[in-house]
Amino acid sequence: MKSVETSTKERIKILRGNEYFDNLPEIMLMEISAHMHLREYQRGDVLFWEDDPCDGLHIVEQGSAKIFRLSPQGRQYIVRILQEGDTFAEVPAFDGAVNPVNVEALENCSVWVIDGELLRGLIISHPQFAQKVLVNFGRMLRGMVHKISEMAFYQVTHR
């Protein structure tokens, strides 16, 4: 993992293109941009492991990665493939707990990380941001329920 220097303009551009931040006032974007940084990973690098402390909300700028879990026998279950523009680690970023999954770079990738403590503070002080977080969490929960239903109700050949 390598940290990359970026400008405020680059950071604000990334925020404006993300569903959590796209319609926030400029003053909030400036505040958030001061608490984010860009990391570069090589193919095969692990961004974080399950039960590691969470650095914050992650946004894929370039490349791809996989979110996966490991069974006690060491089998890997891929939860999601991340592409450019995707966010991940929302749950631990917003609840302050540890990461519930593992993430590995599938190719060289650049990932923005926004400090979780700052985001938790924004939820308290800015109701419009809290509303966006709730809407996005609702969408993610519905997607997860759909995935679980597919696994429970369909045979492997039909999934």
Side-chain angles (χ1 to χ4, degrees):
M1 187 266 303
K2 176 178 133 185
S3 290
V4 179
E5 288 294 318
T6 60
S7 69
T8 301
K9 185 177 179 179
E10 287 177 279
R11 294 189 298 267
I12 288 178
K13 180 181 176 189
I14 291 298
L15 293 172
R16 286 193 194 288
N18 183 273
E19 63 190 349
Y20 285 100
F21 312 102
D22 57 2
N23 66 357
L24 296 180
E26 186 75 18
I27 190 90
M28 282 182 69
L29 295 178
M30 291 294 287
E31 180 183 355
I32 296 165
S33 73
H35 297 274
M36 63 189 288
H37 54 278
L38 184 61
R39 296 177 178 169
E40 290 183 346
Y41 297 91
Q42 301 296 310
R43 178 186 171 147
D45 285 353
V46 173
L47 283 66
F48 54 77
W49 291 104
E50 181 178 347
D51 294 327
D52 281 352
C54 179
D55 293 337
L57 179 70
H58 292 63
I59 304 170
V60 179
E61 178 180 53
Q62 181 181 349
S64 63
K66 65 180 175 182
I67 298 175
F68 67 99
R69 299 281 318 257
L70 292 173
S71 74
Q73 297 77 27
R75 286 189 37 219
Q76 193 177 101
Y77 172 74
I78 296 176
V79 176
R80 182 175 167 207
I81 300 294
L82 300 163
Q83 302 291 330
E84 294 173 8
D86 286 343
T87 58
F88 61 103
E90 285 101 329
V91 171
F94 288 111
D95 74 7
V98 297
N99 289 307
V101 294
N102 310 289
V103 178
E104 179 183 322
L106 291 173
E107 58 185 329
N108 294 351
C109 59
S110 301
V111 178
W112 291 93
V113 181
I114 304 171
D115 181 67
E117 191 172 326
L118 168 82
L119 296 174
R120 290 187 293 278
L122 289 174
I123 287 174
I124 294 167
S125 61
H126 294 83
Q128 73 186 81
F129 181 66
Q131 182 66 34
K132 289 217 46 135
V133 171
L134 287 171
V135 168
N136 288 333
F137 269 41
R139 182 183 41 75
M140 290 186 325
L141 181 59
R142 289 176 191 280
M144 197 61 79
V145 167
H146 179 73
K147 267 189 171 183
I148 291 169
S149 295
E150 284 181 345
M151 290 175 18
F153 298 132
Y154 298 107
Q155 295 179 356
V156 174
T157 55
H158 291 101
R159 288 189 226 152

